[in-house]
Amino acid sequence: MSNFIKGRGAGSHLPGRFERTVNQAEDDGWHAEDSEEFAAPRLRTQVSEETARSIISRNQSPDVGFTQSVNPYRGCEHGCSYCFARPSHAYLNLSPGLDFETRLFAKTNAPELLRRELARPGYVPSPIALGINTDAYQPIERRLRLTRRLIEVFAETRHPFSLITKNALVERDLDLLVPLARDNLVSVHFSVTSLDPRLSARLEPRASAPHARLRAMRTLHEAGVPVGVMVAPVIPWINDQALEAVMEAARDAGAESAGYVLLRLPHEVAPLFRDWLQAHHPDRAAHVMSTVRQARGGKDFDSAFGKRMRGQGVYADLLARRFAVAHRRLGYADTPRRSLDCSRFVRPLPPRPASPQGVLF
């Protein structure tokens, strides 16, 4: 079993799938476990600046409600044990385990890139999802403010966008979000996995506590910003029993829409999550993974469109029925009551090309 560190969601530096060599530490038995001299060093978050070449990512997936997204950060300090984005760190020759939540990359030129890409003559506006691969409001945003600067570009160009976050820090940007909401240019969704703060602290150790997310949801709703809830991921026998309770609490806090996603375990996420189960819920670890495989066609994960978000089989069907009943009982909208408005888009002026003679006037 991996040695979990308080405040971190992964228990090891699991090598990425592209690594050619792997280092493995072994205990030679010479030093006591509580020896301070030979204790493992405390992991601190490291943030590197990255100059990105492009900022708008595009997809044609029928499983998500957007075709464009922007991610100002790579890696995420929230440290969610189940995060589907962890395998992306393998492309950097870094561990999808502890490196993903401690070695972060900030795309410091993201606001300038966004303005440049929106200025292209052929650009056709459609809603952009902000912070999809990793949370745009993770703790380092408090200092770096990249997400806020991106929102300022959206405000300047009247471009519609949506947010999904686990962090109450989104309240900081109410001054920008409220006027955008008046023109149907923004919606905010909160990912809530449980109402139990102890379970949340183990699943997503550096995200805001559930009550803080619900408080932020209510604050945004009362200020006129449309909000929704995503119960994601639903983990069999860990938090699945809380599905209806989370939906009800979010509805009371002003959520207009609701959705859910069944646990996804692509690539390195599967062994990392197995370690998490053995560390925190060894009594039911086998049962959890057995149910996951039943809902994934006998595998840890099925990436097929139409199946990867909801799964298939008896458990997945029961979950879908529970969600549908709660959705109807609580009065959630079948479709968004407010569609984001692309007609207000104002194309920014393109950046002036650099001149070898410099600027004379």
Side-chain angles (χ1 to χ4, degrees):
M1 184 179 71
S2 300
N3 296 316
F4 277 75
I5 302 169
K6 185 177 180 180
R8 298 299 181 184
S12 69
H13 286 91
L14 179 76
R17 60 195 180 281
F18 305 120
E19 296 293 341
R20 294 188 177 184
T21 60
V22 176
N23 297 322
Q24 181 173 329
E26 294 289 346
D27 182 6
D28 58 11
W30 281 98
H31 308 295
E33 291 182 1
D34 59 353
S35 169
E36 293 185 5
E37 181 181 359
F38 296 98
R42 180 182 176 186
L43 283 176
R44 298 185 181 276
T45 301
Q46 303 175 46
V47 183
S48 301
E49 293 188 2
E50 176 181 348
T51 302
R53 290 181 292 181
S54 62
I55 198 62
I56 299 178
S57 300
R58 293 175 173 84
N59 76 85
Q60 297 179 334
S61 170
D63 294 327
V64 295
F66 58 87
T67 58
Q68 301 193 121
S69 61
V70 167
N71 294 285
Y73 303 108
R74 292 211 271 184
C76 185
E77 196 177 6
H78 281 162
C80 302
S81 56
Y82 50 75
C83 183
F84 69 88
R86 285 183 177 273
S88 62
H89 248 44
Y91 293 106
L92 305 175
N93 290 324
L94 294 173
S95 167
L98 286 168
D99 282 348
F100 177 79
E101 53 195 278
T102 61
R103 298 184 63 178
L104 313 179
F105 296 83
K107 302 174 185 178
T108 51
N109 63 333
E112 292 75 23
L113 266 182
L114 178 61
R115 185 178 288 105
R116 182 181 303 166
E117 293 186 25
L118 296 182
R120 290 175 178 168
Y123 177 78
V124 177
S126 67
I128 289 177
L130 178 56
I132 293 300
N133 201 47
T134 57
D135 202 311
Y137 280 102
Q138 60 178 287
I140 59 173
E141 166 61 19
R142 190 177 300 278
R143 173 172 58 90
L144 297 181
R145 302 170 71 87
L146 285 176
T147 297
R148 181 175 176 87
R149 290 171 57 203
L150 287 167
I151 295 175
E152 289 172 344
V153 176
F154 288 133
E156 170 195 331
T157 59
R158 315 304 293 164
H159 194 292
F161 70 101
S162 62
L163 280 163
I164 184 165
T165 184
K166 292 184 176 72
N167 204 309
L169 178 59
V170 66
E171 292 180 88
R172 179 200 65 187
D173 295 332
L174 266 178
D175 61 316
L176 295 174
L177 297 175
V178 170
L180 288 167
R182 293 195 194 106
D183 292 332
N184 291 338
L185 292 173
V186 67
S187 63
V188 178
H189 294 78
F190 290 84
S191 175
V192 182
T193 52
S194 171
L195 300 180
D196 180 353
R198 291 172 296 181
L199 175 59
S200 179
R202 294 192 298 267
L203 275 173
E204 40 210 18
R206 297 199 175 199
S208 296
H211 69 271
R213 295 179 223 179
L214 292 170
R215 183 197 64 221
M217 185 184 296
R218 183 182 299 278
T219 298
L220 266 64
H221 166 68
E222 292 177 349
V225 180
V227 292
V229 66
M230 183 64 71
V231 189
V234 175
I235 307 171
W237 320 121
I238 298 295
N239 72 333
D240 55 351
Q241 77 282 356
L243 175 66
E244 292 87 353
V246 170
M247 292 174 67
E248 184 168 359
R251 191 71 184 93
D252 290 343
E256 298 179 1
S257 61
Y260 77 95
V261 177
L262 184 62
L263 177 67
R264 300 163 59 190
L265 298 174
H267 302 299
E268 294 91 349
V269 186
L272 287 166
F273 192 72
R274 283 197 193 93
D275 278 355
W276 184 90
L277 284 171
Q278 287 296 335
H280 298 289
H281 296 282
D283 58 325
R284 68 187 88 165
H287 191 29
V288 171
M289 290 307 302
S290 174
T291 306
V292 168
R293 285 190 291 271
Q294 290 174 39
R296 297 296 187 186
K299 301 177 289 185
D300 289 337
F301 180 59
D302 183 357
S303 61
F305 289 151
K307 298 178 181 178
R308 59 180 181 155
M309 298 296 188
R310 300 294 174 86
Q312 58 184 322
V314 175
Y315 177 87
D317 291 345
L318 176 60
L319 192 63
R321 287 198 294 272
R322 285 175 55 195
F323 175 81
V325 169
H327 194 274
R328 184 169 56 252
R329 173 175 62 84
L330 295 169
Y332 279 106
D334 291 329
T335 57
R337 291 194 176 102
R338 317 181 203 192
S339 58
L340 298 180
D341 188 355
C342 295
S343 68
R344 299 175 183 270
F345 175 62
V346 178
R347 196 180 308 278
L349 293 175
R352 296 177 62 179
S355 169
Q357 293 183 335
V359 178
L360 301 179
F361 302 99

